[in-house]
Structure formats: C-alpha cells, structure tokens
Amino acid sequence: MGDRKQARDEEFQSFVVGRWPRLMRTAFLLTGEQHAAEDLVQTTLEQVYVAWRRVGAADEPEAYVRRVMINAHARKHRRRLKEILAPKDDSGLTRELPDSGDPIARADDRGALLTALAQLPPRQREAVVLRYWEDLSESRTAEAMGCSVGAVKSNTAKGIAKLRVIPGLADTVTHGGRKR
C-alpha cells in the first residue's frame, strides 16, 4: 500500500512540476497579481492532491485542474472579496516572467493589457483568458467555466469588445478577436 501511495505522490509531483508555469500564467491572468495567483494555484493543487487518484486516472487531468482553479476563483468573487488587480505600490513585488512560448509575452505593453483585463467583469475575464491565452476551444472553455458554449461566446465577445475600445490595445487585437 505504501508503494502505491508513493507512486501516486510521484505522479502528482511530476504533474505539478510539468504544469506549474502554465497554471501560474492562467492564475496570474485571472487574478492580475503574483501573490494572488500563487495562492490560487496552491489552493487548487491542495484540492487536487486530495483527489489525485481520481484526477490522475482521468483522460485529461489538466482540464480537471483548470476547472478546479476556475471554480476556486469564482468562489472568491461570490464572497464579494475585492480582488486587487493592479496594486498602487508594487515596487517590492517580484515580476512574473513569461515563458518564451507565451502569447501574452509578445504584447507591447503587458501593463496596459493587465490593466485592461482588470476592467473586465470576472466571467468575461475568465472567458478571454481561457480562449485566447490558454487557446482553448469554446467547448473546453465552457467545460472549464461550467457554463454553456453560448455563454462562453457571449462573455468572450463582450470582453473582446471592451478591450478593443481601450486606447493602446487596439493594435494588439484584430478584427477576429485573436491577438496577433
């Protein structure tokens, strides 16, 4: 029995190490703050670890983990806790460094983009982040958000429309809604 637990722990550790950068990027885009993103990922991984036997056996463990993260983020908003997306004094914070394959890293002004994302309502922000930075299909985004494909389309369209009217972001958003 101890060998199975050890094998499960090693499998979980391997999953976390391999997915950590992507989980952190998604959490950072959802929360807009490094510390909040770290808390969100840690909370998510705590919940997933408890159910790892079931999660690890799933066809797509990453999709399951993403769903847990979205739910944890949504619960925070249901409690009406104010999310700080752009701290006034962030001089002491360590900056998130994007990996080279990260599409958001190609934005000319990440600060403007993060500020713009902070202006979106939580569901629109989730839809935009999952569709365009995680590059999920509409059906996978709907699955992660726990809503219909129509709700994903609506939230994404509204979010992109709001981003298009923000000065300085017009160059990073094309007519089709995809970033260049």
Side-chain angles (χ1 to χ4, degrees):
M1 179 143 145
D3 291 339
R4 280 192 286 186
K5 183 181 181 331
Q6 183 178 356
R8 215 172 30 243
D9 286 351
E10 288 173 2
E11 181 184 350
F12 177 76
Q13 182 179 5
S14 176
F15 175 85
V16 170
V17 169
R19 304 305 193 297
W20 183 263
R22 188 173 182 139
L23 292 172
M24 278 300 299
R25 181 187 66 210
T26 300
F28 184 78
L29 290 168
L30 290 172
T31 64
E33 184 182 59
Q34 184 73 24
H35 296 294
E38 290 169 356
D39 288 346
L40 180 58
V41 172
Q42 287 295 336
T43 299
T44 299
L45 293 175
E46 286 172 9
Q47 293 174 352
V48 169
Y49 177 75
V50 172
W52 184 250
R53 185 175 57 209
R54 183 183 50 211
V55 176
D59 290 337
E60 297 185 50
E62 190 170 351
Y64 185 99
V65 173
R66 189 180 308 110
R67 176 68 188 263
V68 171
M69 183 183 300
I70 295 296
N71 288 344
H73 184 255
R75 270 193 306 278
K76 183 177 180 182
H77 288 286
R78 280 195 289 269
R79 291 185 196 138
R80 302 195 190 283
L81 293 177
K82 182 154 173 87
E83 195 172 79
I84 301 172
L85 292 172
K88 291 183 188 325
D89 179 22
D90 61 356
S91 59
L93 296 178
T94 304
R95 296 284 179 203
E96 180 219 9
L97 298 174
D99 61 32
S100 59
D102 185 355
I104 195 172
R106 292 188 291 259
D108 290 337
D109 188 352
R110 290 185 88 217
L113 185 57
L114 291 173
T115 300
L117 282 172
Q119 295 174 23
L120 296 178
R123 294 300 277 181
Q124 290 177 15
R125 185 177 340 125
E126 289 171 2
V128 169
V129 167
L130 292 173
R131 285 286 291 132
Y132 297 106
W133 280 278
E134 286 298 316
D135 201 27
L136 297 181
S137 67
E138 290 169 341
S139 60
R140 286 189 180 256
T141 301
E143 184 180 315
M145 292 176 63
C147 64
S148 69
V149 170
V152 169
K153 289 179 180 181
S154 175
N155 281 309
T156 302
K158 289 175 184 175
I160 292 295
K162 287 179 182 178
L163 292 175
R164 281 188 182 133
V165 298
I166 296 174
L169 287 183
D171 295 335
T172 63
V173 182
T174 65
H175 295 293
R178 287 273 187 194
K179 288 183 53 68
R180 290 183 186 159

